[in-house]
Structures are given as C-alpha cells and as structure tokens.
Amino acid sequence: NGFEVCSIKDEILENDSIFGTGTKVKIGGDGNSQAQRPDGSERYWAAEFDVVIYGDTTGDGKINAIDALALIKHLNEAIPFTSEVFTEAGSIVCEDGEEPTAVDALAIIKHANGKYQISQTK
C-alpha cells in the first residue's frame, strides 16, 4: 500500500534526492505504526527501515574523508553521533556488535582514495 522515503528529520524526499545513512523507508501505508507528515496529516505504516550506507557516517550519501573525521570525533567523544545508525555506518571492518575503531576510519579514507572497497552487505 505504498511507501515514502524520508530524511532523518522525517521530511519526505523528492524522487531525485540522494539517499544517505539515516534515510527512512516507510512501507505499507495504513499499517500499524503512526507517522505524522510535515503537512500535519497522519498516516500509518506497516514497517519503517533506516538506510545504512557503510562508510557514510554523515548521512550525505557520499563516502569521503569527512566521514572518517566524523567517526574519529565520535570515537573521541568530541562530537558523538546523534543516532546509532551512524555508528553502524562506521562499522566497516569491526565484528558485528563491536564499536567501530580508528581502523574503521582508516578503511573509509582508503575507500575514498580508491585503495579499498567497502562492502555494503553484512
């Protein structure tokens, strides 16, 4: 019964928008999960999923050195991530359930320089 793709702030994205980590995909309109739209109307969703692009820790849909910097700042508790979805996006080489480390930040930099390919499946 339809779907919507929304930003992390719950704003409906246009068809030509770039999807990044934190993008929300809501499916099966008029399901059980209530969501209020920006125009004030309400709709019910059967399921909602967060998009995770491994390496994209900023949510802009790109994997670059800025993502590595964001991960390092998170690890040093200077600027913590606002959502666990960004922590998951920074988990490149660490095992499932482990927190990312500087090694994951290095993997992001290597990917941005074409020296390493980040797998988008886990």
Side-chain angles (χ1 to χ4, degrees):
N1 288 332
F3 70 94
E4 284 182 355
V5 179
C6 302
S7 71
I8 196 162
K9 296 177 183 175
D10 246 3
E11 300 164 339
I12 298 172
L13 298 177
E14 300 296 325
N15 291 340
D16 59 350
S17 297
I18 296 174
F19 298 1
T21 296
T23 300
K24 298 176 184 182
V25 178
K26 301 174 182 185
I27 59 172
D30 299 327
N32 299 323
S33 180
Q34 182 178 355
Q36 187 166 357
R37 292 179 169 166
D39 66 4
S41 64
E42 293 183 354
R43 185 159 184 186
Y44 292 85
W45 297 102
E48 180 177 323
F49 301 94
D50 291 320
V51 171
V52 174
I53 299 175
Y54 290 100
D56 175 26
T57 63
T58 60
D60 64 0
K62 302 171 189 169
I63 303 172
N64 54 36
I66 295 170
D67 297 297
L69 178 62
L71 179 56
I72 293 294
K73 287 183 175 186
H74 170 76
L75 295 174
N76 290 326
E77 299 179 2
I79 303 176
F81 291 141
T82 57
S83 171
E84 284 296 315
V85 71
F86 297 112
T87 304
E88 179 63 26
S91 300
I92 310 301
V93 294
C94 65
E95 298 293 323
D96 286 341
E98 291 182 1
E99 287 290 313
T101 67
V103 174
D104 296 291
L106 179 59
I108 293 170
I109 291 170
K110 285 183 173 182
H111 177 87
N113 289 326
K115 306 285 185 195
Y116 180 78
Q117 182 64 40
I118 295 175
S119 173
Q120 294 300 320
T121 60
K122 276 203 174 192

